[in-house]
Amino acid sequence: AGDELLAEVASRIEAAVRPGDVVARLGGDEFAVIIGDMLRLSDAQHAADRIDEALTRPIEVSGDTAVITTSIGIAVSEGDDEPEELLRDADTALHRAKEAGRDTSIMFDDNLRDRAVRRLDVENMLRRALDTEALVVHYQPVLDVASGELSGSEALVRLRSEDGSLVMPGAFIDVAEESGLIATLGHQVLVQSIRQTAAWNREHAPGQQPLSIAVNVSARQLTDPNYPNEIRREIFDAGLAPNLLSIELTESALIDGNPITERALQELHDFGCRIGLDDFGTGFSSLAYLKRFPISFLKIDRSFVSGLGEDEDDSAIVRATLGLAHGLNLTVVAEGVETPHQLSCLAELNCDRVQGYLFSKPVDADTFRKYLGLRWKG
């Protein structure tokens, strides 16, 4: 059925352009169209509109009807561009079209050129950091609500720029995903975090609650069949108990229903690691995920925590999430806790664990060491 769909799409694109224009399939569901001898810049946009119109009509596939959307990136050359540059610019515009909500077309311009240059700068900086293992991992404390004890931390990566400043993940995680560097980045963060947490636990006084570490994992990492073995090896080498490692993933990692992802999560769960669903309630939040995948805990997004006790909808969402999770024997972690009032509300609702600026922003390993053995007293 997929092949039938691609063949029909190709035929419709060819029919929407001139006989002398070139239509090629680049791979997957991406096509390129080369239009020569344009008289006006608007000709390219008109061609994109014709293609979009041709593809919006329902397509018969194996007896069923499919409706597809099309994102188009346009790059125009005056004749002095290299083919690789033109394809790169069109691809940049295509990504922008997808970000804009899909089913639209975007023309490459100076703004996108500046953006592409910045993206390349970030990618180069990221590659240098990975080559020299110059990633910086910060740790945000996670506290047990009932006892006020430090229960662990969440690992959050930063990049050290050439001028010594720290670059936040929002500036480079998307680039890491798109460039394929996310697996290397994730591995380095995983190794640092596991080794550091194992060292802290060796420093812990007898009788104190062992510290756990939560590491964010991307969808791409989970599609690597060797990923569970990589984690097992690092845990074994560091001497950390498997149940002290929490793997946090967003709902987007589960949407595709990739069987490799499902198998990887089950292997990690069977090994003893805890699996957590991050930013619960902000995406599709299908309850089927909680049944299908071996989820151990949910994280309530800061956008809901911020309205606790003030916004009735936010309070209702937090209350419902806690009731659902506890009914399924899941632990709940609330992030973004910034005020004593929010903490008090979460305590009344029997939230299990919390993290946020009320206790500490993410800090380097040396600063975090000062928190070992401390108990929060509100």
Side-chain angles (χ1 to χ4, degrees):
D3 290 344
E4 285 183 40
L5 180 66
L6 290 171
E8 177 61 22
V9 167
S11 296
R12 291 192 183 189
I13 294 175
E14 285 184 316
V17 297
R18 301 171 305 182
D21 297 330
V22 176
V23 178
R25 178 168 168 245
L26 299 180
D29 60 354
E30 286 195 355
F31 291 81
V33 179
I34 305 174
I35 300 174
D37 303 321
M38 289 192 308
L39 299 178
R40 296 169 297 276
L41 187 64
S42 59
D43 288 349
Q45 185 63 60
H46 292 324
D49 293 341
R50 289 198 305 273
I51 292 170
D52 183 59
E53 183 180 355
L55 296 181
T56 55
R57 299 194 305 272
I59 299 175
E60 294 294 326
V61 180
S62 297
D64 291 320
T65 301
V67 178
I68 63 173
T69 59
T70 309
S71 299
I72 302 175
I74 307 167
V76 179
S77 172
E78 301 293 339
D80 54 354
D81 294 284
E82 292 294 326
E84 294 83 1
E85 294 174 348
L86 201 59
L87 271 174
R88 181 198 62 205
D89 293 346
D91 190 55
T92 299
L94 172 63
H95 281 290
R96 182 69 189 94
K98 290 180 178 179
E99 291 172 1
R102 299 179 182 271
D103 201 24
T104 187
S105 59
I106 296 289
M107 180 85 72
F108 187 83
D109 56 17
D110 288 340
N111 288 331
L112 283 180
R113 190 182 306 279
D114 292 342
R115 178 175 172 168
V117 169
R118 288 195 299 272
R119 182 192 180 284
L120 184 60
D121 289 342
V122 171
E123 182 177 338
N124 289 335
M125 179 176 64
L126 180 57
R127 288 185 185 278
R128 286 194 298 271
L130 293 174
D131 289 342
T132 59
E133 297 191 353
L135 293 177
V136 178
V137 179
H138 280 192
Y139 303 88
Q140 185 168 39
V142 178
L143 282 76
D144 182 89
V145 175
S147 66
E149 275 190 274
L150 180 69
S151 64
S153 67
E154 179 182 1
L156 299 160
V157 65
R158 282 89 172 91
L159 285 186
R160 180 81 66 185
S161 64
E162 292 182 352
D163 63 6
S165 62
L166 290 180
V167 181
M168 296 295 106
F172 62 83
I173 289 296
D174 286 347
V175 174
E177 290 271 12
E178 293 170 10
S179 62
L181 296 173
I182 191 66
T184 305
L185 184 150
H187 176 75
Q188 291 191 15
V189 172
L190 179 76
V191 171
Q192 280 195 49
S193 304
I194 288 177
R195 291 177 181 176
Q196 183 60 72
T197 304
W200 283 331
N201 277 309
R202 286 193 291 269
E203 296 175 23
H204 239 25
Q208 287 184 327
Q209 180 178 336
L211 296 179
S212 62
I213 181 68
V215 180
N216 294 283
V217 175
S218 73
R220 183 168 297 188
Q221 288 173 272
L222 290 170
T223 57
D224 178 3
N226 193 49
Y227 187 67
N229 293 328
E230 177 184 311
I231 288 184
R232 277 193 289 263
R233 183 173 59 252
E234 294 301 334
I235 284 180
F236 178 79
D237 290 346
L240 186 72
N243 68 315
L244 295 180
L245 175 63
S246 295
I247 300 297
E248 292 188 6
L249 57 150
T250 60
E251 294 164 11
S252 60
L254 306 178
I255 289 174
D256 291 339
N258 190 314
I260 298 177
T261 297
E262 189 169 354
R263 188 161 55 248
L265 291 175
Q266 190 61 54
E267 286 183 29
L268 290 170
H269 176 267
D270 294 344
F271 179 55
C273 298
R274 303 178 73 246
I275 312 297
L277 202 52
D278 201 4
D279 300 336
F280 187 78
T282 60
F284 295 95
S285 299
S286 170
L287 300 184
Y289 295 151
L290 306 182
K291 180 179 179 180
R292 179 177 175 183
F293 299 97
I295 305 297
S296 306
F297 65 95
L298 303 179
K299 294 195 77 171
I300 300 177
D301 186 71
R302 64 183 67 249
S303 62
F304 302 125
V305 173
S306 65
L308 264 178
E310 299 176 5
D311 185 293
E312 292 184 5
D313 290 340
D314 287 346
S315 299
I317 289 172
V318 172
R319 188 181 303 110
T321 301
L322 281 160
L324 171 68
H326 289 160
L328 296 171
N329 295 317
L330 303 178
T331 301
V332 178
V333 183
E335 58 183 357
V337 180
E338 298 183 351
T339 68
H341 179 65
Q342 291 168 358
L343 177 60
S344 176
C345 290
L346 289 166
E348 289 179 9
L349 294 172
N350 295 318
C351 184
D352 303 289
R353 293 176 181 172
V354 287
Q355 65 185 92
Y357 278 23
L358 177 62
F359 318 106
S360 173
K361 64 180 182 180
V363 295
D364 59 39
D366 288 338
T367 303
F368 189 91
R369 181 173 282 106
K370 300 175 184 176
Y371 299 145
L372 301 182
L374 296 182
R375 185 189 300 266
W376 170 262
K377 295 181 181 180

